[in-house]
mmCIF file of all heavy atoms in Angstrom:
data_model
loop_
_atom_site.group_PDB
_atom_site.id
_atom_site.type_symbol
_atom_site.label_atom_id
_atom_site.label_comp_id
_atom_site.label_asym_id
_atom_site.label_seq_id
_atom_site.Cartn_x
_atom_site.Cartn_y
_atom_site.Cartn_z
ATOM 1 N N SER A 1286 -1.917 -4.493 6.504
ATOM 2 C CA SER A 1286 -0.856 -5.368 5.952
ATOM 3 C C SER A 1286 -0.315 -6.273 7.074
ATOM 4 O O SER A 1286 -0.396 -5.921 8.180
ATOM 5 C CB SER A 1286 0.357 -4.517 5.397
ATOM 6 O OG SER A 1286 1.236 -4.201 6.512
ATOM 7 N N GLN A 1289 2.146 -5.019 9.715
ATOM 8 C CA GLN A 1289 1.648 -3.935 10.610
ATOM 9 C C GLN A 1289 0.598 -4.439 11.573
ATOM 10 O O GLN A 1289 0.282 -3.661 12.513
ATOM 11 C CB GLN A 1289 1.170 -2.827 9.785
ATOM 12 C CG GLN A 1289 2.271 -2.073 8.975
ATOM 13 C CD GLN A 1289 1.750 -1.089 7.943
ATOM 14 O OE1 GLN A 1289 1.645 -1.437 6.795
ATOM 15 N NE2 GLN A 1289 1.515 0.125 8.374
ATOM 16 N N HIS A 1409 3.397 -6.820 0.489
ATOM 17 C CA HIS A 1409 3.233 -5.504 0.990
ATOM 18 C C HIS A 1409 4.612 -5.125 1.603
ATOM 19 O O HIS A 1409 4.870 -5.320 2.722
ATOM 20 C CB HIS A 1409 2.164 -5.455 2.101
ATOM 21 C CG HIS A 1409 1.645 -4.068 2.464
ATOM 22 N ND1 HIS A 1409 0.329 -3.670 2.163
ATOM 23 C CD2 HIS A 1409 2.309 -3.014 3.023
ATOM 24 C CE1 HIS A 1409 0.228 -2.441 2.511
ATOM 25 N NE2 HIS A 1409 1.408 -2.001 3.114
ATOM 26 N N TYR A 1410 5.456 -4.670 0.698
ATOM 27 C CA TYR A 1410 6.861 -4.283 0.953
ATOM 28 C C TYR A 1410 7.822 -5.428 1.325
ATOM 29 O O TYR A 1410 8.976 -5.400 1.175
ATOM 30 C CB TYR A 1410 6.965 -3.244 2.015
ATOM 31 C CG TYR A 1410 6.307 -1.934 1.855
ATOM 32 C CD1 TYR A 1410 5.563 -1.271 2.938
ATOM 33 C CD2 TYR A 1410 6.296 -1.337 0.600
ATOM 34 C CE1 TYR A 1410 4.990 -0.027 2.714
ATOM 35 C CE2 TYR A 1410 5.714 -0.061 0.431
ATOM 36 C CZ TYR A 1410 5.091 0.495 1.468
ATOM 37 O OH TYR A 1410 4.466 1.758 1.318
ATOM 38 N N ASN A 1454 2.553 -3.880 -3.219
ATOM 39 C CA ASN A 1454 1.994 -2.701 -2.649
ATOM 40 C C ASN A 1454 2.854 -1.435 -3.001
ATOM 41 O O ASN A 1454 4.069 -1.484 -2.967
ATOM 42 C CB ASN A 1454 2.065 -2.776 -1.077
ATOM 43 C CG ASN A 1454 1.437 -1.586 -0.433
ATOM 44 O OD1 ASN A 1454 0.232 -1.231 -0.619
ATOM 45 N ND2 ASN A 1454 2.244 -0.813 0.338
ATOM 46 N N GLU A 1455 2.167 -0.413 -3.494
ATOM 47 C CA GLU A 1455 2.836 0.891 -3.705
ATOM 48 C C GLU A 1455 4.128 0.704 -4.453
ATOM 49 O O GLU A 1455 5.198 1.210 -4.008
ATOM 50 C CB GLU A 1455 2.972 1.680 -2.569
ATOM 51 C CG GLU A 1455 1.597 2.102 -1.834
ATOM 52 C CD GLU A 1455 1.716 3.074 -0.741
ATOM 53 O OE1 GLU A 1455 2.786 3.145 -0.066
ATOM 54 O OE2 GLU A 1455 0.774 3.844 -0.494
ATOM 55 N N ASN A 1458 6.714 3.639 -5.198
ATOM 56 C CA ASN A 1458 7.431 4.407 -4.152
ATOM 57 C C ASN A 1458 8.965 4.330 -4.416
ATOM 58 O O ASN A 1458 9.598 5.350 -4.113
ATOM 59 C CB ASN A 1458 7.129 3.785 -2.756
ATOM 60 C CG ASN A 1458 5.840 4.148 -2.194
ATOM 61 O OD1 ASN A 1458 5.140 4.965 -2.850
ATOM 62 N ND2 ASN A 1458 5.469 3.682 -0.991
ATOM 63 N N MET A 1505 -0.856 -2.088 -7.453
ATOM 64 C CA MET A 1505 -1.187 -1.147 -6.347
ATOM 65 C C MET A 1505 -0.194 0.006 -6.363
ATOM 66 O O MET A 1505 1.015 -0.191 -6.204
ATOM 67 C CB MET A 1505 -1.147 -1.932 -5.041
ATOM 68 C CG MET A 1505 -1.905 -1.257 -3.861
ATOM 69 S SD MET A 1505 -1.402 0.411 -3.454
ATOM 70 C CE MET A 1505 -2.008 0.578 -1.862
ATOM 71 N N TYR A 1582 -3.755 9.457 -0.052
ATOM 72 C CA TYR A 1582 -3.728 10.222 1.208
ATOM 73 C C TYR A 1582 -3.658 11.700 0.941
ATOM 74 O O TYR A 1582 -4.099 12.426 1.817
ATOM 75 C CB TYR A 1582 -2.553 9.768 2.062
ATOM 76 C CG TYR A 1582 -2.649 8.349 2.570
ATOM 77 C CD1 TYR A 1582 -2.119 7.253 1.811
ATOM 78 C CD2 TYR A 1582 -3.301 8.053 3.671
ATOM 79 C CE1 TYR A 1582 -2.195 6.027 2.284
ATOM 80 C CE2 TYR A 1582 -3.467 6.750 4.157
ATOM 81 C CZ TYR A 1582 -2.825 5.723 3.393
ATOM 82 O OH TYR A 1582 -3.032 4.412 3.851
ATOM 83 N N ASN A 1599 4.323 10.865 3.699
ATOM 84 C CA ASN A 1599 4.864 9.623 4.144
ATOM 85 C C ASN A 1599 6.410 9.583 3.925
ATOM 86 O O ASN A 1599 7.181 9.659 4.880
ATOM 87 C CB ASN A 1599 4.172 8.525 3.385
ATOM 88 C CG ASN A 1599 4.264 7.225 4.104
ATOM 89 O OD1 ASN A 1599 4.968 7.108 4.991
ATOM 90 N ND2 ASN A 1599 3.441 6.327 3.729
ATOM 91 N N MET A 1600 6.802 9.586 2.664
ATOM 92 C CA MET A 1600 8.178 9.536 2.372
ATOM 93 C C MET A 1600 8.503 10.603 1.350
ATOM 94 O O MET A 1600 9.572 10.599 0.720
ATOM 95 C CB MET A 1600 8.579 8.076 1.819
ATOM 96 C CG MET A 1600 8.553 7.070 2.878
ATOM 97 S SD MET A 1600 8.522 5.445 2.178
ATOM 98 C CE MET A 1600 6.848 5.006 2.190
ATOM 99 N N TRP A 1616 0.483 15.717 6.273
ATOM 100 C CA TRP A 1616 0.028 15.167 5.007
ATOM 101 C C TRP A 1616 -1.067 16.118 4.505
ATOM 102 O O TRP A 1616 -2.018 16.400 5.185
ATOM 103 C CB TRP A 1616 -0.524 13.797 5.174
ATOM 104 C CG TRP A 1616 0.523 12.736 5.637
ATOM 105 C CD1 TRP A 1616 1.716 13.026 6.296
ATOM 106 C CD2 TRP A 1616 0.487 11.341 5.421
ATOM 107 N NE1 TRP A 1616 2.360 11.811 6.599
ATOM 108 C CE2 TRP A 1616 1.665 10.770 6.064
ATOM 109 C CE3 TRP A 1616 -0.376 10.452 4.818
ATOM 110 C CZ2 TRP A 1616 1.992 9.450 6.019
ATOM 111 C CZ3 TRP A 1616 -0.130 9.075 4.751
ATOM 112 C CH2 TRP A 1616 1.085 8.595 5.409
ATOM 113 N N GLU A 1642 -6.455 2.203 -0.289
ATOM 114 C CA GLU A 1642 -6.090 2.849 0.998
ATOM 115 C C GLU A 1642 -6.479 4.367 0.935
ATOM 116 O O GLU A 1642 -6.272 5.026 -0.040
ATOM 117 C CB GLU A 1642 -4.553 2.838 1.232
ATOM 118 C CG GLU A 1642 -3.968 1.481 1.479
ATOM 119 C CD GLU A 1642 -2.514 1.520 1.842
ATOM 120 O OE1 GLU A 1642 -1.937 2.581 2.369
ATOM 121 O OE2 GLU A 1642 -1.890 0.501 1.546
ATOM 122 N N TRP A 1689 -7.785 2.889 5.103
ATOM 123 C CA TRP A 1689 -6.543 2.460 5.816
ATOM 124 C C TRP A 1689 -6.626 3.018 7.211
ATOM 125 O O TRP A 1689 -6.974 4.172 7.364
ATOM 126 C CB TRP A 1689 -5.247 3.067 5.252
ATOM 127 C CG TRP A 1689 -4.057 2.505 5.964
ATOM 128 C CD1 TRP A 1689 -3.390 3.138 7.011
ATOM 129 C CD2 TRP A 1689 -3.426 1.289 5.721
ATOM 130 N NE1 TRP A 1689 -2.337 2.251 7.432
ATOM 131 C CE2 TRP A 1689 -2.308 1.205 6.642
ATOM 132 C CE3 TRP A 1689 -3.625 0.262 4.764
ATOM 133 C CZ2 TRP A 1689 -1.532 0.052 6.697
ATOM 134 C CZ3 TRP A 1689 -2.770 -0.854 4.810
ATOM 135 C CH2 TRP A 1689 -1.726 -0.972 5.761
ATOM 136 N N VAL A 1695 0.453 -0.458 13.335
ATOM 137 C CA VAL A 1695 1.758 0.099 13.342
ATOM 138 C C VAL A 1695 1.956 1.016 12.123
ATOM 139 O O VAL A 1695 1.696 0.455 10.996
ATOM 140 C CB VAL A 1695 2.871 -0.910 13.432
ATOM 141 C CG1 VAL A 1695 4.201 -0.306 13.447
ATOM 142 C CG2 VAL A 1695 2.688 -1.788 14.697
ATOM 143 N N ALA A 1696 2.423 2.254 12.279
ATOM 144 C CA ALA A 1696 2.559 3.046 11.029
ATOM 145 C C ALA A 1696 3.792 2.565 10.298
ATOM 146 O O ALA A 1696 4.876 2.215 10.840
ATOM 147 C CB ALA A 1696 2.881 4.450 11.440
ATOM 148 N N ALA A 1697 3.622 2.449 8.947
ATOM 149 C CA ALA A 1697 4.691 1.890 8.088
ATOM 150 C C ALA A 1697 5.945 2.778 8.103
ATOM 151 O O ALA A 1697 7.098 2.241 8.130
ATOM 152 C CB ALA A 1697 4.230 1.662 6.709
ATOM 153 N N SER A 1698 5.767 4.088 7.951
ATOM 154 C CA SER A 1698 6.911 4.947 7.716
ATOM 155 C C SER A 1698 7.667 5.286 9.057
ATOM 156 O O SER A 1698 8.871 5.525 8.994
ATOM 157 C CB SER A 1698 6.507 6.237 7.053
ATOM 158 O OG SER A 1698 5.497 6.841 7.838
ATOM 159 N N THR A 1699 6.974 5.262 10.196
ATOM 160 C CA THR A 1699 7.644 5.730 11.420
ATOM 161 C C THR A 1699 7.564 4.634 12.532
ATOM 162 O O THR A 1699 8.145 4.832 13.578
ATOM 163 C CB THR A 1699 6.921 6.974 11.857
ATOM 164 O OG1 THR A 1699 5.551 6.676 12.239
ATOM 165 C CG2 THR A 1699 6.977 8.109 11.030
ATOM 166 N N LYS A 1704 0.090 7.322 16.061
ATOM 167 C CA LYS A 1704 -0.528 7.814 14.774
ATOM 168 C C LYS A 1704 -1.630 6.809 14.437
ATOM 169 O O LYS A 1704 -1.385 5.711 13.907
ATOM 170 C CB LYS A 1704 0.544 7.799 13.633
ATOM 171 C CG LYS A 1704 0.086 8.380 12.369
ATOM 172 C CD LYS A 1704 1.267 8.200 11.394
ATOM 173 C CE LYS A 1704 1.065 8.963 10.183
ATOM 174 N NZ LYS A 1704 2.262 8.764 9.289
ATOM 175 N N TYR A 1706 -5.144 5.253 12.932
ATOM 176 C CA TYR A 1706 -6.001 5.365 11.696
ATOM 177 C C TYR A 1706 -7.381 4.787 11.980
ATOM 178 O O TYR A 1706 -8.328 4.986 11.084
ATOM 179 C CB TYR A 1706 -5.344 4.579 10.570
ATOM 180 C CG TYR A 1706 -4.239 5.275 9.889
ATOM 181 C CD1 TYR A 1706 -2.945 5.089 10.312
ATOM 182 C CD2 TYR A 1706 -4.441 6.157 8.806
ATOM 183 C CE1 TYR A 1706 -1.820 5.810 9.707
ATOM 184 C CE2 TYR A 1706 -3.387 6.857 8.171
ATOM 185 C CZ TYR A 1706 -2.041 6.667 8.616
ATOM 186 O OH TYR A 1706 -1.083 7.333 7.981
HETATM 187 C C1 BG6 B 3164 0.832 3.434 2.699
HETATM 188 C C2 BG6 B 3164 1.238 2.011 2.952
HETATM 189 O O1 BG6 B 3164 1.952 4.076 2.116
HETATM 190 O O2 BG6 B 3164 0.562 4.361 3.683
HETATM 191 C C3 BG6 B 3164 0.798 1.509 4.284
HETATM 192 O O3 BG6 B 3164 0.811 1.195 2.009
HETATM 193 C C4 BG6 B 3164 0.958 2.618 5.331
HETATM 194 O O4 BG6 B 3164 1.548 0.411 4.631
HETATM 195 C C5 BG6 B 3164 0.132 3.830 4.963
HETATM 196 O O5 BG6 B 3164 0.676 2.231 6.677
HETATM 197 C C6 BG6 B 3164 0.124 4.940 5.924
HETATM 198 O O6 BG6 B 3164 1.432 5.353 6.166
HETATM 199 P P1 BG6 B 3164 2.022 5.371 7.636
HETATM 200 O O7 BG6 B 3164 3.452 5.576 7.538
HETATM 201 O O8 BG6 B 3164 1.347 6.516 8.329
HETATM 202 O O9 BG6 B 3164 1.635 4.035 8.229
#
Side-chain angles (χ1 to χ4, degrees):
S1286 84
Q1289 294 171 264
H1409 196 112
Y1410 298 141
N1454 182 62
E1455 294 191 333
N1458 282 357
M1505 200 304 199
Y1582 293 92
N1599 204 343
M1600 291 164 262
W1616 298 23
E1642 289 185 29
W1689 185 266
V1695 176
S1698 55
T1699 59
K1704 182 184 195 182
Y1706 283 91

